[in-house]
Amino acid sequence: MPISISIIQTGKIKCRPSMLQQPADRPIWLRRLHVLTDRSWAEPIPVQVFLISHPEGYILFDTGLSPHTKDRDYFPSWMPTFHLTSKFDINESQGIGVQLQEKGIEPKDLKAVVISHLHYDHSGGLPDLIDAPIFLLEGDYEAFKEPVHATFEGATPRQWPKNFHPSFLKESNSHIGPFEQSYPITADGRVVAVQTPGHVPSHCSLVVFAEDATYFLTGDATYSQEYLDNELTDGVNETPMQAIETLKKIKELARQMPLVILPAHDKNSPKRLQERVAYKPTAI
Ligand SMILES: [Zn+2]
């Protein structure tokens, strides 16, 4: 059975344009102020989860948005910025648990669920997936361990299942292009995580070496292939220069081998996956 990837969309988010992109050299306080005072809305972006079918089992990359994000009490009342800066478009049937069930896949059937980072739109499906082995970088778990800080940083720890005890990705000594460390997910080394910090201090992306192409599942290391190519970073992170370094590494890897780039929020990811369009980086 060849390795294949399918994209599952868990709703859409409409947010402020200043959240999607701001200059990397702008001071952090000014970046945040721009988000808080921005009154315009960007086009809605999809929240996509990636299901990898591999001979060793199914691997899910991220868990998407929860249908409950529209509920009044999903986000803590003391942190109104979630609802003030974002609007959610998702119904009950678009949660990851229901969509996996429709495919005949139970959480216990999954070999691994890998979380790129714990922001609410990547961890929203955790309650549906608690019976699956869940993996993430230890640094990301540490960064979001303290609930008040985690909430300020865009996570919803009180929505995580009580028995949420993820396993940490284990590094191997083999590098992948400019990425010094890799974290194998499958024994055959064809699905591996790499560190792509910047959007959050500890963030991972997945590289899938399928028979037909090599796929780079960015998570939120970039919101789109266009942003990647132009080395543009989002407006919500606190380490924009590190985010740009990560983009340069992804571009470097794409120069070393043909890569199909699949960001979590890029509306063009499904078409690129279907047509296996390799990314050709332009020099900045
Ligand atoms: Zn996201």
Side-chain angles (χ1 to χ4, degrees), residues 16-80:
R16 307 296 189 185
S18 55
M19 296 163 78
L20 299 180
Q21 198 263 310
Q22 285 197 51
D25 57 359
R26 186 175 278 171
I28 303 301
W29 67 269
L30 197 53
R31 289 162 62 80
R32 296 238 154 159
L33 187 67
H34 269 276
V35 172
L36 291 173
T37 55
D38 194 350
R39 287 289 163 266
S40 51
W41 292 106
E43 279 295 299
I45 52 171
V47 183
Q48 297 166 124
V49 170
F50 298 81
L51 179 66
I52 301 153
S53 173
H54 183 282
E56 294 174 29
Y58 289 111
I59 297 147
L60 195 68
F61 185 50
D62 281 332
T63 72
L65 194 64
S66 165
H68 299 293
T69 42
K70 290 195 297 191
D71 298 351
R72 274 186 84 85
D73 58 353
Y74 186 81
F75 299 105
S77 55
W78 54 264
M79 189 64 185

Side-chain angles (χ1 to χ4, degrees), residues 13 45-47 62 116-117 119-122 199 203 219-220 223 264-265:
I13 303 177
I45 52 171
V47 183
D62 281 332
S116 64
H117 65 303
H119 278 169
Y120 73 88
D121 57 322
H122 297 257
H199 178 68
H203 179 283
D220 281 358
Y223 286 158
H265 298 300

Side-chain angles (χ1 to χ4, degrees), residues 24-242:
D25 57 359
R26 186 175 278 171
I28 303 301
W29 67 269
L30 197 53
R31 289 162 62 80
R32 296 238 154 159
L33 187 67
H34 269 276
V35 172
L36 291 173
T37 55
D38 194 350
R39 287 289 163 266
S40 51
W41 292 106
E43 279 295 299
I45 52 171
V47 183
Q48 297 166 124
V49 170
F50 298 81
L51 179 66
I52 301 153
S53 173
H54 183 282
E56 294 174 29
Y58 289 111
I59 297 147
L60 195 68
F61 185 50
D62 281 332
T63 72
L65 194 64
S66 165
H68 299 293
T69 42
K70 290 195 297 191
D71 298 351
R72 274 186 84 85
D73 58 353
Y74 186 81
F75 299 105
S77 55
W78 54 264
M79 189 64 185
T81 47
F82 289 105
H83 278 295
L84 290 175
T85 59
S86 302
K87 290 182 178 176
F88 309 102
D89 178 3
I90 180 167
N91 60 45
E92 218 41 65
S93 64
Q94 291 175 304
I96 188 63
V98 174
Q99 295 205 65
L100 286 178
Q101 240 168 26
E102 281 170 0
K103 291 177 184 288
I105 300 171
E106 297 293 327
K108 61 177 172 41
D109 301 332
L110 298 169
K111 175 182 168 63
V113 176
V114 182
I115 312 275
S116 64
H117 65 303
L118 283 166
H119 278 169
Y120 73 88
D121 57 322
H122 297 257
S123 59
L126 283 177
D128 293 338
L129 297 162
I130 199 64
D131 292 333
I134 298 170
F135 296 87
L136 78 174
L137 287 171
E138 185 172 5
D140 192 56
Y141 190 67
E142 289 296 318
F144 288 90
K145 210 169 59 177
E146 203 288 302
V148 173
H149 174 74
T151 306
F152 269 110
E153 292 302 319
T156 46
R158 70 176 187 165
Q159 302 295 347
W160 301 343
K162 292 284 168 283
N163 51 342
F164 175 49
H165 300 298
S167 302
F168 300 134
L169 294 168
K170 289 191 177 63
E171 65 185 41
S172 72
N173 287 325
S174 56
H175 70 101
I176 294 181
F179 295 94
E180 298 86 4
Q181 299 291 347
S182 62
Y183 301 77
I185 309 297
T186 56
D188 65 1
R190 299 186 81 155
V191 182
V192 293
V194 292
Q195 286 198 49
T196 46
H199 178 68
V200 290
S202 194
H203 179 283
C204 74
S205 300
L206 273 196
V207 189
V208 180
F209 297 95
E211 291 81 356
D212 58 359
T214 301
Y215 299 91
F216 196 100
L217 284 51
T218 69
D220 281 358
T222 185
Y223 286 158
S224 70
Q225 180 169 296
E226 190 190 337
Y227 282 7
L228 166 67
D229 200 45
N230 291 299
E231 300 179 15
L232 299 174
T233 186
D234 66 74
V236 293
N237 75 65
E238 287 189 346
T239 49
M241 292 307 180
Q242 193 180 35

Side-chain angles (χ1 to χ4, degrees), residues 176-181 195-197 216 228 231 242-256 259:
I176 294 181
F179 295 94
E180 298 86 4
Q181 299 291 347
Q195 286 198 49
T196 46
F216 196 100
L228 166 67
E231 300 179 15
Q242 193 180 35
I244 302 290
E245 281 311 303
T246 288
L247 298 182
K248 288 181 188 294
K249 276 190 183 179
I250 300 172
K251 290 177 78 168
E252 175 56 28
L253 185 63
R255 286 187 192 97
Q256 295 178 15
L259 289 182

